[in-house]
Amino acid sequence: MSFRRLLVAAILITILCALPWASAADNADGQTAQALRRFDENKFGMFIHWGLYAIPAGEWKGTYVRGIGEWIMNRARIPVKEYEQLAKQFNPVKFKGAEWAQLAKDAGMRYMVITAKHHDGFAMYGSKASSYNVVDATPYGKDPMKELSAACAQRGVGFGFYYSQDQDWHEPNGRGNTWDFPAERKPKVYLENKVLPQVKELLTGYGTLSLIWFDTPGMLSEEQVSDLRRTVKTLQPSCLLNSRIGHGKGDYFQTGDNAIPIQLYSKSKWEVPATLNDTWGYKKNDQNWKDPADLIAKLADIASKGGNYLLNVGPTAEGAIPEAAQRVLQTIGKWLAVNGEAIYGTAPSPFYFPDITWRCTVKPGKVFLHLINWPGPNFRFEGLESKVKRAYFLGNGKEVPFRQEGRALSFTLPETAPDAYNTVLVVEIADRTPRVAPGYVHNTLPARLDLYAWTARLRGEELRYDRKTSSASNFRNAERDRNELWWYPYGALSGEYNVEFTYACDDRIAGSRFQIGVQKGNQGPAHVALQGRVEGTKAAFVTRRLDGTLRIEPGDQHISFGLPDDDKSAGIKVRKITLTRR
Ligand code: JFZ
């Protein structure tokens, strides 16, 4: 072939590849990218865990079962033959898709993800692939997902399904049920007979899906997960997949449940799945509802770090969302109706967070300072080099007096917060994007870093956070669930540190051993990093330097605090752990 012919051929191939019909895969990539942008703008979604587990609601044969409600079949080792009987009682007469969709809308949630099938294997929609489903196996006999998906579409709320693709305790070849099915698995049989057919049903029967939320990967091979991904993208190229599909085949990343990274986190788009109390599926005795102030602050925190917040409700077996949950969501919605400009469609903070006074989101020409812990009348903000034109409260439009000297901004604020939850201070700047002084950029780690109890995941159902004293308490050791604080650095922290500990403890309950651990990788017990004894402080907050050094390596998953031996000092109040680079 002559050079000229080669050149012509090369040009032709280039043009063909650029054409929209050239390749289905390229097309899917483009639609995925677009869907991801919309997903990023939405910021806030509703998670719904609803299934047969809402009937026992945390209690089996008169005995309380610890842990998350939707795991009751596993935790109580309930045989399939017994658990299946629950279907005959499932009759959610109170269910109204329009009400659930409207609640999401009122709460300012822009997408919804509901369990089509959880680990118990029961399909909450009309499935041809398995008769173990809500239409064929219950007295209700209808498909609630038809109504719900239509109600969401009508209100412009994105709609997606949770689907447990790997664990299925109802199937001999699904993962997880070792009490009925001890024999070896044939993942391929399960994948081809149940997962792929059901996923196809979900993608063809409920309109446009914003996403499918897979969970707890483990058994399926990389090739099998690729098949699953291809099945979804072929039917709906714009349907997003989360990272829990496994083998790195997702479009965006999930943090651990209720786990918010301590600083800005930017490894692709991410989402925090979170509970409103201590369970996903309904449990009748769980009344540990999170405070709206805390949830609103967490939403600002997550948006400031570049994430989305997927907040869960667990409806009852009758099909009602608990009233306490509804009230909390309405409160968040009222705040968002006024302050949504500082959440939706924003970019994350270009600034590092020195403490828990403020969080930050940005839009062109605007810096939104979310004052989540009121600083009092004199608020100093450092690190902004762009010229400030104007400052005002988003909630009431009132001008806020300020002085700008070099990289320091001093605001004069009211004594008390104008907004009980989160007062947004809008700072209008002369630049389109803020110029940030060196040393204040989000990815620079300071010499001293505070790990606040507020930025930790509260692990365990007894642990409580108190906003007045900014501290966590009730570090009980209950059966196999430890009450601990877990901080997620997500890779940003490797190094060696001296450690200080800020806490308060009544002298009468002092004496337990405490432990600061580092979790290596994803699984296994925390490696013990530092230990000490809880000393009495006459109930006043003190800061104590601890013996030894804390070593954090890249890939370490989290840092923990807890009482490993006894819970005599469970009432200790922990405010923060301070790391100083050695
Ligand atoms: C999973 C489920 O097992 C659970 O029932 C619920 O549906 C939840 C949303 O997801 O649980 C997980 C999965 C992953 C982590 C923690 C809990 N994780 O990575 O930390």
Side-chain angles (χ1 to χ4, degrees), residues 47 49 68 70-71 115 118-119 162 167 169 213 215-216 244 254-257 259 273 280 457 486 488 490 522 557:
F47 211 174
H49 277 69
I68 43 186
E70 71 284 4
W71 271 73
T115 45
H118 204 266
H119 308 330
Y162 170 109
Q167 294 198 69
W169 308 328
W213 215 95
D215 204 3
T216 62
R244 290 188 191 174
Q254 250 75 40
T255 67
D257 301 355
W280 304 89
R457 167 183 181 185
W486 288 9
Y488 289 79
Y490 284 115
N522 267 319
Q557 217 229 8

Side-chain angles (χ1 to χ4, degrees), residues 180-242:
D180 283 306
F181 313 119
E184 207 167 322
R185 267 52 183 164
K186 297 191 189 76
K188 189 168 181 280
V189 173
Y190 161 64
L191 183 72
E192 286 172 6
N193 293 342
K194 191 163 181 182
V195 179
L196 293 177
Q198 289 201 327
V199 165
K200 282 181 198 156
E201 289 172 341
L202 295 173
L203 284 156
T204 48
Y206 303 87
T208 304
L209 297 190
S210 298
L211 55 91
I212 295 192
W213 215 95
F214 291 112
D215 204 3
T216 62
M219 165 182 85
L220 299 179
S221 70
E222 176 160 4
E223 207 190 323
Q224 288 167 332
V225 169
S226 295
D227 282 351
L228 184 56
R229 184 184 163 93
R230 204 174 317 110
T231 302
V232 174
K233 293 287 178 179
T234 305
L235 289 166
Q236 292 201 26
S238 66
C239 177
L240 293 176
L241 298 170
N242 66 334

Side-chain angles (χ1 to χ4, degrees), residues 75-380:
R75 279 232 159 174
R77 294 286 185 269
I78 304 170
V80 165
K81 285 281 158 277
E82 260 182 74
Y83 190 87
E84 269 178 350
Q85 303 305 315
L86 291 171
K88 294 182 186 153
Q89 292 174 52
F90 192 72
N91 193 14
V93 290
K94 290 188 185 158
F95 169 76
K96 288 208 179 63
E99 285 177 8
W100 292 12
Q102 192 58 42
L103 178 64
K105 182 97 186 164
D106 291 347
M109 293 161 147
R110 301 219 160 156
Y111 62 105
M112 177 186 285
V113 184
I114 185 164
T115 45
K117 186 200 84 172
H118 204 266
H119 308 330
D120 66 359
F122 185 74
M124 286 294 289
Y125 70 97
S127 173
K128 297 272 176 291
S130 158
S131 60
Y132 193 44
N133 75 69
V134 67
V135 177
D136 297 320
T138 74
Y140 187 61
K142 281 174 285 190
D143 183 344
M145 300 305 161
K146 292 276 181 204
E147 202 181 313
L148 190 59
S149 54
C152 283
Q154 225 173 46
R155 289 164 180 79
V157 173
F159 185 78
F161 283 119
Y162 170 109
Y163 187 88
S164 178
Q165 82 284 15
D166 206 280
Q167 294 198 69
D168 190 317
W169 308 328
H170 190 257
E171 304 300 324
N173 289 307
R175 183 169 61 87
N177 182 343
T178 47
W179 56 99
D180 283 306
F181 313 119
E184 207 167 322
R185 267 52 183 164
K186 297 191 189 76
K188 189 168 181 280
V189 173
Y190 161 64
L191 183 72
E192 286 172 6
N193 293 342
K194 191 163 181 182
V195 179
L196 293 177
Q198 289 201 327
V199 165
K200 282 181 198 156
E201 289 172 341
L202 295 173
L203 284 156
T204 48
Y206 303 87
T208 304
L209 297 190
S210 298
L211 55 91
I212 295 192
W213 215 95
F214 291 112
D215 204 3
T216 62
M219 165 182 85
L220 299 179
S221 70
E222 176 160 4
E223 207 190 323
Q224 288 167 332
V225 169
S226 295
D227 282 351
L228 184 56
R229 184 184 163 93
R230 204 174 317 110
T231 302
V232 174
K233 293 287 178 179
T234 305
L235 289 166
Q236 292 201 26
S238 66
C239 177
L240 293 176
L241 298 170
N242 66 334
S243 58
R244 290 188 191 174
I245 191 173
H247 295 288
K249 305 283 179 202
D251 297 317
Y252 72 100
F253 181 80
Q254 250 75 40
T255 67
D257 301 355
N258 297 300
I260 304 175
I262 56 174
Q263 289 286 338
L264 187 102
Y265 182 71
S266 56
K267 174 187 159 188
S268 80
K269 180 62 195 177
W270 55 276
E271 176 185 53
V272 181
T275 51
L276 216 45
N277 45 0
D278 290 310
T279 181
W280 304 89
Y282 177 69
K283 272 178 92 173
K284 57 191 161 200
N285 72 338
D286 186 344
Q287 297 299 325
N288 185 25
W289 303 104
K290 294 190 176 80
D291 183 51
D294 199 42
L295 296 162
I296 289 167
K298 296 274 192 229
L299 176 61
D301 188 32
I302 291 165
S304 297
K305 293 166 181 172
N308 276 21
Y309 201 14
L310 183 63
L311 197 52
N312 182 74
V313 294
T316 65
E318 293 74 45
I321 295 175
E323 288 203 5
Q326 293 194 39
R327 277 197 299 277
V328 173
L329 294 186
Q330 299 285 4
T331 306
I332 301 175
K334 285 201 187 99
W335 183 86
L336 274 168
V338 175
N339 296 285
E341 190 195 337
I343 297 287
Y344 306 117
T346 57
S349 176
F351 304 98
Y352 182 81
F353 311 116
D355 56 29
I356 53 173
T357 307
W358 55 268
R359 287 298 182 256
C360 169
T361 53
V362 298
K363 272 186 181 161
K366 282 179 184 171
V367 174
F368 300 105
L369 295 178
H370 299 253
L371 301 173
I372 54 176
N373 285 295
W374 193 246
N378 302 308
F379 172 49
R380 203 177 141 89

